[in-house]
């Protein structure tokens, strides 16, 4: 083990990944599985057709406890948290004073508080951010002894139902406490692949036991970070630090669906979060640039950082994520382009090794979502 590897954190499932033959790589300060012996393409296709198990224990889990927790959290996000019903989950964004995005997160209302899941790379700063701004109004309780598993794919419900049939009753973006074959968990029907599936918070000391029970199901195979990235990209979902960051606002990032009417100008609880003036102005007037989906007509994959030009060769944008989509079987990308070039069907060119690769502005997701809405 090199000195670099020794400094990396390990999830509770680390030894299991090694046992399963995973190729381990550094990611967000953790030693994480990028792929297993079958490879990224097979893992991607397996998740789209059956069920894949992901270790996402590197992400930050936090409980906000107290009667004032929802109102307090609304001072940091442009999202309706007060109106979030018991066992419902919602996507949210931490914004800064300029309307830039500090991180994206999930919030679920549980009987014991608001359950918040933040990105691994932003975890420590997000927890500090909440402790600083919310600590006087509610308890900010990090949950470092919880692991997090994601079971994703059209057959996830079949596999998980064998451990507890009641999980089938959940619909997209709802959750509950379930014993999975005797193991206490908090389960939400959500994920980051565009498929139906579940995210499972479980005590770290029982996470390997649960993972083995899931991997014993005939539908389930372990999936690494490589396929996680290609799956989320085909689903048109943003990756923090790439497609969204402090230089992008929710409006520029095409995430306005996450800002409920009650938090917009004229709404009952409008504003009151960092950067509200910037976001409200952009909601009213539009932003100078916009995140769009792109689909290529040639086989050349277009990667993050590729410049985008119009027919005349003028630079009009930049790619933030790109891959050859295994399901759609063509290059797909997320990019920021000027407002004038953001309309669906607009023809652009990505510069790849000084060659112009034709791309068309397209709607996302690039492959239909499989979410179960009841």
């Amino acid at each position: 083990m090199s000195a670099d590897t020794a400094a990396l954190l390990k999830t509770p499932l680390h030894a299991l990944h090694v046992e399963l033959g995973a190729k381990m790589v550094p990611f967000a300060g953790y030693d994480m599985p990028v792929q297993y012996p079958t490879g990224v393409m097979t893992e991607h296709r397996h998740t789209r057709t059956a069920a894949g198990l992901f270790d996402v224990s590197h992400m930050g889990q936090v409980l906000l406890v107290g009667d004032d927790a929802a109102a307090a959290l609304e001072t940091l996000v442009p999202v309706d948290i007060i109106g979030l019903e018991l066992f419902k989950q919602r996507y949210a964004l931490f914004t800064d004073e300029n309307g830039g995005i500090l991180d994206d997160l999930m919030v679920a209302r549980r009987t014991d508080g608001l359950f918040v899941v933040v990105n691994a790379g932003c975890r420590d700063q997000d927890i500090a951010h909440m402790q600083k701004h919310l600590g006087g109004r509610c308890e900010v309780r990090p949950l470092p002894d919880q692991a997090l598993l994601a079971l994703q794919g059209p057959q996830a419900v079949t596999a998980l139902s064998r451990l507890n049939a009641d999980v089938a009753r959940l619909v997209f973006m709802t959750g509950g406490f379930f014993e999975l074959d005797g193991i206490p968990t908090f389960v939400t029907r959500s994920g980051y692949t565009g498929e139906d599936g579940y995210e499972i918070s479980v005590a770290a000391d029982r996470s390997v036991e649960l993972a083995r029970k899931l991997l014993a199901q005939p539908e389930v195979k372990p999936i690494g970070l490589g396929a996680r990235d290609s799956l989320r990209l085909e689903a048109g979902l943003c990756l923090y630090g790439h497609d969204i960051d402090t230089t992008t606002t929710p409006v520029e990032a095409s995430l306005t669906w996450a800002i409920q009417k009650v938090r917009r100008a004229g709404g009952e609880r409008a504003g009151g979060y960092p950067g509200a003036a910037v976001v409200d102005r952009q909601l009213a007037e539009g932003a100078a640039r916009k995140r769009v989906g792109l689909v290529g007509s040639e086989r050349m994959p277009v990667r993050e950082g590729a410049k985008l030009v119009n027919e005349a060769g003028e630079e009009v944008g930049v790619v933030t994520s790109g891959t050859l989509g295994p399901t759609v079987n063509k290059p797909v990308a997320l990019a920021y382009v000027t407002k004038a070039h953001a309309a669906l069907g607009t023809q652009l060119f990505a510069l790849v090794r000084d060659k112009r690769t034709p791309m068309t502005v397209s709607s996302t997701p690039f492959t239909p979502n499989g979410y179960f809405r009841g």
Side-chain angles (χ1 to χ4, degrees):
M1 192 162 72
S2 72
D4 291 348
T5 321
L8 291 171
L9 297 167
K10 294 181 173 70
T11 75
L13 299 167
H14 187 274
L16 179 59
H17 300 308
V18 174
E19 178 190 318
L20 293 168
K23 179 185 175 189
M24 306 299 286
V25 299
F27 181 81
Y30 280 79
D31 196 30
M32 294 294 287
V34 68
Q35 64 176 76
Y36 296 87
T38 53
V40 173
M41 196 70 83
T42 304
E43 292 173 30
H44 179 109
R45 293 206 173 104
H46 186 82
T47 307
R48 287 267 182 259
T49 55
L53 182 67
F54 301 76
D55 177 13
V56 286
S57 305
H58 59 313
M59 295 183 75
Q61 301 177 69
V62 182
L63 198 62
L64 304 181
V65 183
D67 294 343
D68 207 23
L73 186 54
E74 285 196 359
T75 66
L76 297 182
V77 301
V79 175
D80 177 11
I81 306 295
I82 289 173
L84 187 61
E85 292 171 39
L86 184 62
F87 295 129
K88 295 278 178 71
Q89 185 179 46
R90 197 161 264 173
Y91 177 81
L93 304 154
F94 287 131
T95 50
D96 67 17
E97 294 302 331
N98 304 311
I101 300 171
L102 293 169
D103 198 10
D104 59 343
L105 56 145
M106 286 294 214
V107 184
R109 190 186 286 279
R110 305 195 325 195
T111 42
D112 56 352
L114 293 173
F115 177 63
V116 175
V117 179
V118 299
N119 284 305
C122 306
R123 183 189 61 196
D124 295 346
Q125 72 193 48
D126 286 350
I127 291 171
H129 185 59
M130 288 189 281
Q131 282 168 335
K132 178 181 174 184
H133 296 284
L134 311 180
R137 297 178 63 178
C138 63
E139 183 194 346
V140 178
R141 188 189 299 166
L143 304 172
D145 298 326
Q146 291 290 113
L148 195 63
L149 300 176
L151 185 68
Q152 300 283 297
Q155 292 174 20
V157 60
T158 307
L160 197 61
S161 291
R162 289 196 196 100
L163 304 189
N164 186 329
D166 292 341
V167 298
R169 295 211 290 255
L170 293 176
V171 295
F172 182 56
M173 297 295 271
T174 68
F177 291 99
F178 295 88
E179 285 216 350
L180 300 178
D181 199 19
I183 301 173
T185 65
F186 179 72
V187 177
T188 58
R189 199 159 189 172
S190 57
Y192 192 49
T193 59
E195 296 298 328
D196 183 23
Y198 298 88
E199 291 173 306
I200 307 162
S201 179
V202 57
D205 60 10
R206 304 207 65 182
S207 59
V208 174
E209 184 188 351
L210 179 59
R212 289 193 190 277
K213 287 179 191 287
L214 291 168
L215 290 168
Q217 308 304 317
E219 301 84 0
V220 182
K221 288 195 162 62
I223 312 293
L225 290 174
R228 183 169 161 85
D229 193 50
S230 56
L231 288 158
R232 70 91 195 166
L233 188 41
E234 283 189 336
L237 300 170
C238 293
L239 175 60
Y240 191 82
H242 300 261
D243 311 298
I244 49 175
D245 58 26
T246 53
T247 71
T248 64
T249 69
V251 181
E252 291 172 337
S254 303
L255 296 174
T256 54
W257 54 267
I259 307 177
Q260 288 75 28
K261 204 170 161 187
V262 71
R263 300 303 310 277
R264 299 185 182 208
E268 194 185 323
R269 296 191 309 283
Y273 60 89
V278 176
V279 173
D280 278 336
R281 187 170 68 248
Q282 290 186 348
L283 282 168
E285 301 168 8
R289 61 175 188 155
K290 191 179 175 210
R291 180 178 65 89
V292 298
L294 297 173
V295 173
S297 50
E298 296 173 4
R299 296 285 299 168
M300 177 74 78
V302 173
R303 305 289 184 199
E304 178 179 0
K307 290 185 165 63
L308 295 165
V309 298
N310 61 12
E311 190 70 62
E314 301 158 332
E315 199 175 313
V316 296
V318 64
V319 171
T320 53
S321 285
T323 194
L324 192 61
T327 314
V328 296
N329 202 25
K330 37 178 104 144
V332 293
L334 299 178
Y336 283 84
V337 298
T338 57
K339 189 151 69 169
H341 298 87
L344 293 180
T346 304
Q347 295 295 313
L348 298 173
F349 300 90
L351 301 182
V352 181
R353 302 192 199 105
D354 297 327
K355 270 187 62 183
R356 281 167 52 133
T357 301
M359 305 289 286
T360 305
V361 175
S362 307
S363 59
T364 58
F366 300 110
T367 187
N369 286 332
Y371 303 139
F372 178 73
R373 299 180 189 274

